[in-house]
Amino acid sequence: MECGGEPPAVDHDKWRLYEAYNELHGLAQEFDTPFDAPAVLVVGHQTDGKSALVEALMGFQFNHVGGGTKTRRPITLHMKYDPDCEAPICHLVSDDDPTVAHQKSLHEIQAFIEAENLRLESESSQFSAKEITIRVEYKYCPNLTIIDTPGLIAPAPGGKNRVLQGQARAVESLVRAKMQHKEFIILCLEDCSDWSNATTRRVVMQIDPELSRTVIVSTKLDTKIPQFARSSDVEVFLLPPSCALDGIILGDSPFFTSVPSGRVGSGHDSVYKTNDEFKEAIALREKEDVTLLEEKLCRPLAEKEKVRIGVSKLRTFLEELLQKRYMDSVPLIISLLDKEYRSTTRKLNEIDQELSNLDEVTLKEKGRAFHDLFLTKLSLLLKGTVVAPPDKFGETLQDERINGGAFVGTNGHQFPQKLIPNAGMRLYGGAQYHRAMAEFRFVVGGVKCPPITREEIVNACGVEDIHDGANYSRTACVIAVAKARDTFEPYLHQLGSRLLHILKRLLPISVYLLQQKDGEYLSGHQVFLNRVSSAFNNFAESTEKACREKCMEDLVSTTRYVSWSLHNKNRSGLRHFLDSFCGSDQPIMGGNLGSGGLSQDSTFRSLSNERQDNKPRPDVKLSQLASGVDSSSCIQGTEARLVDLLDCTLWNRRLAPSSERIVHALVQQIFHGIREYFLASAELKFNCFLLMPVVDKLPVLLREDLESAFESELDTVFDITNLVHSLSQRKRDAEVELRRIKKLKEKFRVVHQQLILQQSKPDIKTGESDTK
């Protein structure tokens, strides 16, 4: 039966109030505007009877209910009491156009919800946060806006339940996002007979820790009453101590409901023929619950206890609570609508201004202005600033290693983060660049020469082109440069990748500063912004590559030819090592390191000990030779030692321990010399040929690119055709939003005036006004 006639005059104001709030909720959903329209958000686990309770509150069945997940999209129900509507009149709001609502029968709405559940069940996401919105008018409807959410899932642990665990996280995330709305009243459903089991409250209290905007409902009361053996248990269940609920809930204590099972329909499995029978069953169940409780308690229920038992009592409480929220929020809503109206008007004027500025001269000027401001922000970020929020744009060292690559040695180990200064701080710009370079110095400066095997030494000896003797100085050079090249080259590529990542991050931060701080962001000119981004990224990549190639040339040169003046920095350390072969009473005094930096005296002293014969050797110091001491015994001894030296090192291929140690010492000296040169050279070149070009070359290249584009392809740079179409569409949307806000603002003003008039009317009994 259709609705007939106007509602009674006494309900006109309430009608207008609820209608205005329903439109406000729709406007907030459609345009993502910050209006706080009060509503009841139903939260519960699967099989808590959540959807069944919503149907009982409405007075008719429409939903897809049963075991498992039957609600995969939130369902928003704008319910309006209409005493002349004998049957529910339902309108399903279009998903594509929220301004359009199609009248549907209860069967069609139920079929639509079931179809949506099946569709989502087959998709990877399984759930959707987009609401199904239904407007209902009915003589048995309360004036409420109720949002039914998907049921929370409590999956079992273990690897085989990973799919269900993923669904549980998705549902909880969706429900938590809905509960974040401070204007929503949370209807928290608990299906338990012991209040210490906080299944749903555990989730709700993460958002509303004091339960200050939460109504707790214990569902399926008819199944719990038989479980209580003593009346004291019933007493605690009906009026739990405040410590058991961990907060001060709305209504002071929980509500208790029972919804009879069975569906409405004409089929053989239907229990009720009509919704009237369903409502009668709900009322009968409520009376039976009161009777059973009184029997268990052996006393009649007090009035304050009865107002907590049954669906009708919960509905009355929610309606009165929501109505009070509506009344209290009207002045605030009018203020918010005024503010939104001004904001939308300003946005519309800005769109008109942009449309009028789409001429060639203006666009070029805007492009050049953006170019200059962008470079200013870029320079500011390198020099240091605190304008950009670190929590949004900063990176800790761990984040930087993940996103830009880590410094990893040949052994696969990373340098401990705790040893790097400012490792835990979220940095960007010049500060982040400096930290990365500091880590490079820490890591490379601490690199040790890789181990050297005897096989490597023997293989490095080879055969000369003029003789077959062993040249251990050449052997040390061959091993050292090969080890150094393999060790340091990966660090060069890692440094380039890390610094390139840091430089590329400057682009979005600069754009943010222009957009959020200065208001100079070129809104709508995405093609132009993409061109600037592409030019900047190409410049950074090419500059990093060129810089890395320069560093690579240095590494190749220093590992191709050994220059002793460069590679053997610490001769005193090497002499001290070689002197250890001679004994404490025979130090090496002054002599040159000869070919390959070796003292013949020290070499002989270490090698002659390994000869098989025990020939006596004179105790002659090199200092005596260096001072020109004319002693025949010294000369003869020296000649004998030289012969032994040649016999042990040049003519003998047996690798003695002393020869091995000397090769090791030489390799260490050469490797460390290469490391020092590589470290200093790489840092200097990346500063000169990567960082500095951003300051002095990038501005010129960007300006040349823009000017060239302006001359040849201005329409392509700014995509004027699509821009006009986009701005025109935005203008139409803003005009629609403006009209709706204006209409809604007038509705709330009328409601507000009526409320003021009602408060100022004289009281019939006392003759005094309500406002007095």
Side-chain angles (χ1 to χ4, degrees):
M1 182 182 295
E2 292 291 338
C3 299
E6 290 291 325
V10 70
D11 293 328
H12 257 303
D13 296 333
K14 284 187 178 180
W15 264 59
R16 287 174 179 166
L17 179 65
Y18 295 132
E19 184 181 26
Y21 267 107
N22 286 346
E23 289 188 25
L24 181 68
H25 186 85
L27 186 70
Q29 290 289 320
E30 182 179 354
F31 292 103
D32 195 24
T33 47
F35 298 133
D36 297 337
V40 176
L41 185 74
V42 185
V43 178
H45 278 76
Q46 284 184 356
T47 70
D48 278 353
K50 184 169 46 62
S51 298
L53 177 60
V54 172
E55 289 182 335
L57 288 170
M58 297 181 66
F60 60 89
Q61 294 182 351
F62 71 96
N63 210 343
H64 187 196
V65 299
T69 302
K70 298 301 182 184
T71 304
R72 296 185 178 273
R73 283 178 62 181
I75 301 174
T76 299
L77 301 159
H78 295 301
M79 299 183 289
K80 185 189 296 183
Y81 166 74
D82 187 342
D84 296 318
C85 281
E86 296 292 337
I89 303 299
C90 302
H91 290 83
L92 180 64
V93 177
S94 171
D95 282 343
D96 300 325
D97 186 359
T99 62
V100 178
H102 303 284
Q103 184 170 337
K104 300 284 185 181
S105 67
L106 293 177
H107 177 73
E108 290 173 331
I109 288 179
Q110 185 173 355
F112 174 80
I113 294 173
E114 290 181 2
E116 280 296 288
N117 289 338
L118 290 174
R119 178 183 67 81
L120 289 169
E121 190 175 358
S122 61
E123 294 183 358
S124 58
S125 59
Q126 295 273 312
F127 299 90
S128 171
K130 186 176 178 61
E131 297 177 1
I132 297 174
T133 304
I134 304 170
R135 297 174 186 166
V136 183
E137 297 178 18
Y138 188 32
K139 69 181 295 184
Y140 297 110
C141 256
N143 287 301
L144 292 175
T145 295
I146 292 184
I147 304 173
D148 187 14
T149 60
L152 297 168
I153 303 172
K160 63 181 180 181
N161 297 307
R162 287 177 182 172
V163 174
L164 196 59
Q165 291 165 3
Q167 293 180 12
R169 288 190 296 270
V171 173
E172 184 168 330
S173 175
L174 188 155
V175 173
R176 283 166 58 92
K178 291 293 182 184
M179 289 192 294
Q180 294 286 355
H181 295 270
K182 301 294 185 183
E183 72 279 8
F184 286 175
I185 297 167
I186 302 171
L187 200 64
C188 174
L189 273 56
E190 295 279 19
D191 181 15
C192 61
S193 55
D194 185 355
W195 289 113
S196 61
N197 296 323
T199 52
T200 305
R201 274 176 291 147
R202 177 190 61 81
V203 179
V204 171
M205 292 181 70
Q206 295 175 21
I207 307 299
D208 183 22
E210 298 299 326
L211 300 174
S212 58
R213 56 186 178 95
T214 300
V215 178
I216 296 179
V217 180
S218 175
T219 58
K220 305 180 183 179
L221 177 62
D222 54 336
T223 65
K224 295 181 177 62
I225 296 175
Q227 300 176 17
F228 296 111
R230 297 177 298 177
S231 60
S232 59
D233 295 334
V234 182
E235 297 278 6
V236 173
F237 180 65
L238 291 180
L239 191 62
S242 58
C243 61
L245 298 179
D246 300 316
I248 304 174
I249 62 174
L250 284 176
D252 298 329
S253 63
F255 285 82
F256 304 89
T257 62
S258 298
V259 179
S261 60
R263 304 302 291 169
V264 175
S266 57
H268 67 279
D269 55 347
S270 299
V271 177
Y272 310 109
K273 300 293 184 183
T274 63
N275 282 305
D276 288 336
E277 291 185 15
F278 174 58
K279 291 193 295 289
E280 291 172 1
I282 294 173
L284 180 61
R285 182 70 263 172
E286 189 172 314
K287 293 178 181 179
E288 292 175 352
D289 287 344
V290 171
T291 301
L292 289 174
L293 285 171
E294 290 179 338
E295 291 178 357
K296 284 284 184 180
L297 292 170
C298 302
R299 65 170 178 82
L301 290 175
E303 191 61 32
K304 67 176 184 179
E305 294 172 326
K306 287 184 178 180
V307 296
R308 305 291 173 188
I309 310 298
V311 174
S312 66
K313 304 300 189 298
L314 175 63
R315 178 169 56 188
T316 301
F317 174 80
L318 291 176
E319 188 172 7
E320 291 175 352
L321 179 62
L322 207 57
Q323 180 181 340
K324 185 177 184 304
R325 294 285 181 95
Y326 282 161
M327 298 293 190
D328 294 342
S329 300
V330 167
L332 179 61
I333 291 298
I334 293 175
S335 176
L336 287 174
L337 285 170
D338 283 334
K339 181 180 177 181
E340 193 65 23
Y341 186 85
R342 292 192 299 270
S343 175
T344 306
T345 302
R346 185 171 57 252
K347 182 168 61 177
L348 192 58
N349 292 335
E350 291 173 355
I351 295 173
D352 288 334
Q353 184 67 31
E354 285 191 58
L355 284 170
S356 64
N357 289 337
L358 292 181
D359 60 279
E360 181 176 334
V361 176
T362 306
L363 287 175
K364 287 183 178 180
E365 290 178 355
K366 291 177 71 173
R368 294 185 183 111
F370 179 85
H371 165 270
D372 295 339
L373 289 169
F374 169 71
L375 292 174
T376 301
K377 298 302 179 186
L378 207 63
S379 175
L380 183 65
L381 288 171
L382 288 175
K383 292 177 181 178
T385 181
V386 295
V387 180
D391 56 341
K392 184 174 183 179
F393 293 108
E395 282 187 336
T396 64
L397 184 58
Q398 179 65 25
D399 298 331
E400 187 179 320
R401 286 179 172 182
I402 293 173
N403 299 324
F407 295 118
V408 181
T410 54
N411 57 2
H413 296 161
Q414 295 185 32
F415 202 78
Q417 292 187 43
K418 61 183 180 181
L419 300 180
I420 305 297
N422 304 324
M425 294 187 179
R426 295 170 294 188
L427 305 182
Y428 55 77
Q432 188 177 10
Y433 181 95
H434 185 273
R435 183 179 63 187
M437 196 61 80
E439 185 187 3
F440 176 73
R441 287 195 299 270
F442 270 102
V443 173
V444 176
V447 171
K448 304 297 182 183
C449 181
I452 305 168
T453 64
R454 292 171 61 84
E455 288 180 341
E456 287 177 323
I457 297 174
V458 173
N459 280 313
C461 286
V463 177
E464 296 283 350
D465 56 354
I466 196 68
H467 67 88
D468 63 353
N471 186 347
Y472 286 115
S473 62
R474 180 190 180 280
T475 299
C477 292
V478 170
I479 296 173
V481 297
K483 296 285 186 182
R485 176 72 177 268
D486 293 341
T487 300
F488 297 125
E489 184 175 354
Y491 287 117
L492 191 59
H493 294 282
Q494 292 164 10
L495 178 63
S497 175
R498 176 79 73 84
L499 297 182
L500 179 62
H501 163 73
I502 293 171
L503 290 183
K504 282 187 172 183
R505 294 185 65 244
L506 298 176
L507 177 65
I509 304 176
S510 300
V511 172
Y512 167 83
L513 295 180
L514 290 173
Q515 179 183 14
Q516 300 293 332
K517 302 298 181 180
D518 298 343
E520 297 292 342
Y521 184 71
L522 287 175
S523 176
H525 298 278
Q526 193 59 45
V527 176
F528 173 80
L529 295 173
N530 290 341
R531 187 183 187 95
V532 173
S533 300
S534 177
F536 175 80
N537 288 329
N538 289 339
F539 172 81
E541 291 172 2
S542 61
T543 305
E544 184 274 331
K545 181 180 178 182
C547 177
R548 184 162 31 87
E549 289 174 352
K550 291 179 184 294
C551 294
M552 196 65 206
E553 288 178 359
D554 279 355
L555 181 61
V556 170
S557 63
T558 196
T559 55
R560 184 175 183 182
Y561 187 82
V562 175
S563 175
W564 291 104
S565 61
L566 174 67
H567 292 72
N568 188 21
K569 298 283 186 180
N570 189 7
R571 296 190 180 191
S572 61
L574 181 60
R575 286 201 184 105
H576 179 73
F577 170 79
L578 295 175
D579 194 44
S580 65
F581 287 96
C582 304
S584 61
D585 60 335
Q586 297 173 338
I588 295 176
M589 300 293 291
N592 294 330
L593 285 175
S595 175
L598 281 174
S599 166
Q600 293 178 355
D601 181 64
S602 63
T603 305
F604 168 76
R605 290 183 188 279
S606 60
L607 294 177
S608 60
N609 289 332
E610 296 158 9
R611 295 179 58 83
Q612 300 299 323
D613 52 342
N614 294 322
K615 294 188 293 183
R617 54 179 187 146
D619 187 11
V620 180
K621 297 182 180 179
L622 276 178
S623 58
Q624 293 175 312
L625 294 176
S627 61
V629 177
D630 189 10
S631 172
S632 60
S633 60
C634 291
I635 294 173
Q636 293 175 358
T638 300
E639 291 175 351
R641 286 198 296 272
L642 288 174
V643 173
D644 289 338
L645 173 65
L646 292 174
D647 185 34
C648 292
T649 61
L650 183 62
W651 301 326
N652 192 344
R653 284 298 182 114
R654 184 177 62 85
L655 184 61
S658 57
S659 302
E660 183 180 354
R661 292 174 63 190
I662 292 174
V663 170
H664 271 271
L666 279 174
V667 170
Q668 294 282 350
Q669 285 297 115
I670 298 170
F671 183 89
H672 292 163
I674 295 174
R675 182 190 66 193
E676 292 178 17
Y677 180 79
F678 167 76
L679 184 58
S681 172
E683 183 174 359
L684 182 63
K685 279 187 166 52
F686 269 98
N687 287 337
C688 292
F689 300 112
L690 178 63
L691 182 62
M692 293 309 297
V694 175
V695 177
D696 52 32
K697 289 185 178 180
L698 177 63
V700 178
L701 291 175
L702 274 183
R703 174 55 67 91
E704 290 177 354
D705 181 72
L706 286 179
E707 294 299 334
S708 174
F710 287 165
E711 294 300 326
S712 60
E713 45 182 348
L714 181 64
D715 184 73
T716 305
V717 172
F718 286 98
D719 197 11
I720 298 175
T721 303
N722 287 334
L723 184 58
V724 170
H725 179 268
S726 173
L727 288 173
S728 299
Q729 183 61 47
R730 286 172 54 199
K731 181 179 179 180
R732 287 191 293 270
D733 293 342
E735 289 172 342
V736 170
E737 183 177 1
L738 196 64
R739 287 195 297 268
R740 292 185 63 183
I741 293 174
K742 183 178 180 180
K743 178 183 176 183
L744 197 55
K745 187 171 64 170
E746 291 304 318
K747 283 190 175 184
F748 272 98
R749 287 193 189 280
V750 171
V751 171
H752 185 52
Q753 291 170 0
Q754 293 296 326
L755 290 175
I756 294 175
L757 287 175
Q758 286 182 9
Q759 292 174 0
S760 62
K761 285 180 181 179
D763 189 276
I764 297 176
K765 295 180 180 179
T766 63
E768 298 178 352
S769 65
D770 295 338
T771 58
K772 191 170 181 178

